Amino acid sequence: GQQLNQSPQSMFIQEGEDVSMNCTSSSIFNTWLWYKQDPGEGPVLLIALYKAGELTSNGRLTAQFGITRKDSFLNISASIPSDVGIYFCAAPFGGTYKYIFGTGTRLKVLA
Amino acid sequence: EPEVTQTPSHQVTQMGQEVILRCVPISNHLYFYWYRQILGQKVEFLVSFYNNEISEKSEIFDDQFSVERPDGSNFTLKIRSTKLEDSAMYFCASSRDRGNEQFFGPGTRLTVL
C-alpha cells in the first residue's frame, strides 16, 4: 500500500548542529505536513506545504515540498535540547480525506 | 489559542467491554479525524468525518468501531467489545478544510486488560 518512508530512522546530534531529514513516497501528494511528537503527547504541527517547490520556514525549521511531489525535506538549524522528539511527515491522498503518516525520525540532541 | 481536547487522558478497560473516547475539536473546524498509535509505532489513520458522516476509513476501522458527533461540539469514537490489541494511544484531530493542516489533541491512552 501507499506509505511514506522517512530517513534517517533516528539520529544523535550535538547541540548547535543542523539537522536534515526527508520523507519519500512512490505516490504524488498535493500537501505535506510535518509534525513533532514528544513522548506521551499528540503530534504538533510544525509546517504545512501546499505547492511543489515551496520552501517554508517556522523559526529554526525549514521544510521543502519536493519538485516531483513525491518527497519533502525538513531542516532544523542550530539544534537545541528541546528539539528532541519524533518527527513525522504526513500527507493526504489526493482527492481523499485519508491522511497517512511517515515512519518517523527520532531525534536525540546531545548537550 | 484554540486547541483540540480529549477525555479521558487514560482509559483502562477489560477485554470485551465497550469504551467511548471523547474529543472536542476546534470550534470552527469542519473535518474531524481519529488516529491510533500503538506504542513505539507510527500514527495510523482510522477515520475522517465531515458533514455528519464518515468520509473515509481505513481497513483498521471495522464494525467494531463507530464515530458520532452527538452535538455541536463533541466527536466520539466508540470501540465495541475491546480486544487486547486495541491498546494504543487514540488521537483526535480536526482541520478547517480538507487537505488542510490537522491539529491533534493530546490523546487518550487506552489499555485493554
Side-chain angles (χ1 to χ4, degrees):
Chain A
Q2 288 157 311
Q3 60 179 22
L4 303 179
N5 297 306
Q6 289 187 244
S7 177
Q9 284 188 327
S10 64
M11 55 197 312
F12 284 87
I13 59 168
Q14 292 286 338
E15 183 178 358
E17 287 185 349
D18 296 344
V19 176
S20 291
M21 61 188 79
N22 65 55
C23 182
T24 61
S25 175
S26 58
S27 302
I28 289 174
F29 295 98
N30 295 319
T31 299
W32 288 94
L33 307 175
W34 282 95
Y35 288 90
K36 177 176 183 270
Q37 185 178 31
D38 292 328
E41 298 184 14
V44 174
L45 182 66
L46 300 174
I47 293 178
L49 302 162
Y50 297 104
K51 189 177 176 181
E54 179 182 356
L55 189 71
T56 297
S57 293
N58 178 8
R60 294 178 296 106
L61 278 61
T62 302
Q64 184 162 25
F65 193 139
I67 289 291
T68 65
R69 293 165 61 197
K70 294 182 178 181
D71 55 14
S72 180
F73 309 89
L74 178 69
N75 296 309
I76 305 173
S77 62
S79 57
I80 59 178
S82 61
D83 289 334
V84 164
I86 303 177
Y87 292 79
F88 289 103
C89 59
F93 292 148
T96 79
Y97 302 87
K98 184 177 178 180
Y99 284 72
I100 56 171
F101 273 68
T103 49
T105 292
R106 183 181 298 272
L107 180 64
K108 298 186 181 182
V109 180
L110 305 173
Chain B
E1 186 174 324
E3 58 184 17
V4 177
T5 60
Q6 291 185 244
T7 55
S9 57
H10 192 186
Q11 174 87 49
V12 181
T13 190
Q14 293 289 331
M15 190 169 57
Q17 296 297 304
E18 174 182 287
V19 295
I20 297 177
L21 310 183
R22 303 181 191 278
C23 168
V24 178
I26 294 174
S27 61
N28 64 345
H29 285 186
L30 301 176
Y31 297 81
F32 315 121
Y33 314 86
W34 283 102
Y35 291 83
R36 179 181 81 176
Q37 186 178 34
I38 294 170
L39 185 64
Q41 298 186 22
K42 67 178 182 179
V43 177
E44 298 176 291
F45 172 86
L46 292 178
V47 66
S48 60
F49 191 87
Y50 169 71
N51 200 25
N52 285 318
E53 60 183 24
I54 290 174
S55 309
E56 198 82 33
K57 59 182 180 179
S58 72
E59 58 275 9
I60 302 169
F61 193 89
D62 58 22
D63 292 343
Q64 185 193 6
F65 296 88
S66 62
V67 290
E68 190 179 25
R69 187 153 166 83
D71 52 45
S73 60
N74 290 283
F75 179 50
T76 62
L77 174 68
K78 182 188 291 186
I79 308 175
R80 287 180 282 275
S81 189
T82 50
K83 300 175 284 195
L84 294 177
E85 53 265 38
D86 293 329
S87 295
M89 284 290 287
Y90 288 82
F91 294 107
C92 173
S94 69
S95 65
R96 183 168 46 84
D97 300 309
R98 189 185 81 178
N100 205 263
E101 300 101 289
Q102 290 187 27
F103 294 88
F104 281 72
T108 292
R109 180 176 297 282
L110 177 65
T111 302
V112 182
L113 303 176

